[in-house]
Amino acid sequence: MDKRDRSRLFRDRLASAMQAAGITKSALARETGADRSTVSLALSAEDGRLPNAQFAAECASALTVSCDWLLGLTDRRERGADVLQAAIRMEEAARAPSDERIFRWHEEARGYKIRHVPATLPDMLKSEAVLRFEYGDFVGRTSDQAIADMRDRLAYLRAPDTDYEIAMPLDTLEGFAAGEGYWRGLAAHERRAQLKRFAELTDELYPSLRLYLFDRKKVFSAPVTIFGPLQASVYVGRFYLVFSERRQVLELTRHFDGLVREADFEAKQTPRFIEAMSVPD
């Protein structure tokens, strides 16, 4: 940037920050330890001169803005620590399918494509029996209330403006069908009913809902949901790591798209694949 342009930008941004903070020239002079004439010169000089580093830093501190922003090095006016806090935060996560926070994020992203890697199976596609088996008394509400909430989530998927992609490891589905590990103890007839429900819903809701199965030996993903360009949340267990910086959301979107590319077949074929899965007694 030309020195005169940077000087002009500094003047404009300094005046804007002072107005936003409700700080006068005299008040800024007191806050920075500078003479009032120094502040006046910084706001009016048109000869391309820039303030010294000490004065610029003190102005940024007094106005709670970034010194880089005042000097035109970034378009983010927040200070570094504030930028980081805005870009990533921790949100408490309920171990329940009826997490109101997740539903709110879905509503805020209505009209955008949502990409989702579930922790186990997609909650909104689960049967009532599977919900009761998996969550039981941990839902934080009664099982009946949780099931009612999940019916609302399914209604969300059926809305005309829905664009929803789910990617999950193939072995997660195979482990469910076999009743292994996490799903040990769930009756075979309930597993068959759930797989039938998966096949029917992924067929009914396609192409608004697309379910992809990837090989976890080739690629790996933590549970993550990407709400269009707005934000992305990574599920850790007790809390979500929520990313709202555009570049972070874009990188997580690319990660998800990589999972889709690694899928063994297109989402249109997923219902037939699930129908063919066997469930041992």
Side-chain angles (χ1 to χ4, degrees), residues 124-125 152-159 162 164 205 208-209:
M124 56 184 66
L125 300 180
D152 291 339
R153 308 306 193 260
L154 188 55
Y156 176 94
L157 287 179
R158 290 191 168 109
T162 296
Y164 213 103
L205 298 173
S208 297
L209 170 69

Side-chain angles (χ1 to χ4, degrees), residues 77-244:
R77 62 188 296 152
E78 304 99 324
R79 293 174 296 185
D82 296 331
V83 170
L84 180 60
Q85 185 176 14
I88 180 172
R89 66 186 190 277
M90 294 172 62
E91 296 266 2
E92 185 178 355
R95 189 185 184 279
S98 53
D99 189 335
E100 290 300 324
R101 186 176 291 101
I102 284 289
F103 190 56
R104 185 182 75 246
W105 292 339
H106 277 83
E107 286 297 319
E108 290 171 353
R110 187 176 287 278
Y112 291 112
K113 178 190 288 188
I114 296 179
R115 301 165 170 91
H116 178 52
V117 180
T120 57
L121 304 178
D123 276 337
M124 56 184 66
L125 300 180
K126 289 174 182 171
S127 67
E128 295 183 11
V130 170
L131 285 171
R132 294 184 192 278
F133 173 85
E134 184 173 7
Y135 293 104
D137 294 332
F138 292 100
V139 294
R141 308 168 71 185
T142 69
S143 295
D144 288 339
Q145 287 173 316
I147 289 167
D149 286 342
M150 292 316 299
R151 288 173 181 155
D152 291 339
R153 308 306 193 260
L154 188 55
Y156 176 94
L157 287 179
R158 290 191 168 109
D161 58 347
T162 296
D163 189 359
Y164 213 103
E165 287 187 334
I166 299 173
M168 58 181 290
L170 173 57
D171 65 282
T172 296
L173 198 59
E174 292 172 335
F176 174 82
E180 297 174 344
Y182 186 84
W183 302 105
R184 186 174 293 113
L186 180 61
H189 72 276
E190 298 293 4
R191 302 198 307 273
R192 290 191 188 97
Q194 176 64 83
L195 290 177
K196 181 180 179 183
R197 177 180 175 84
F198 271 156
E200 290 174 349
L201 287 175
T202 52
D203 186 42
E204 171 199 341
L205 298 173
Y206 181 86
S208 297
L209 170 69
R210 300 176 295 285
L211 174 61
Y212 297 92
L213 302 172
F214 62 87
D215 186 347
R216 190 154 39 181
K217 293 190 292 293
K218 295 179 181 178
V219 289
F220 171 80
S221 179
V224 59
T225 306
I226 304 160
F227 301 92
L230 305 179
Q231 67 177 25
S233 66
V234 176
Y235 179 61
V236 178
R238 293 179 57 190
F239 55 87
Y240 301 103
L241 292 177
V242 184
F243 300 87
S244 53

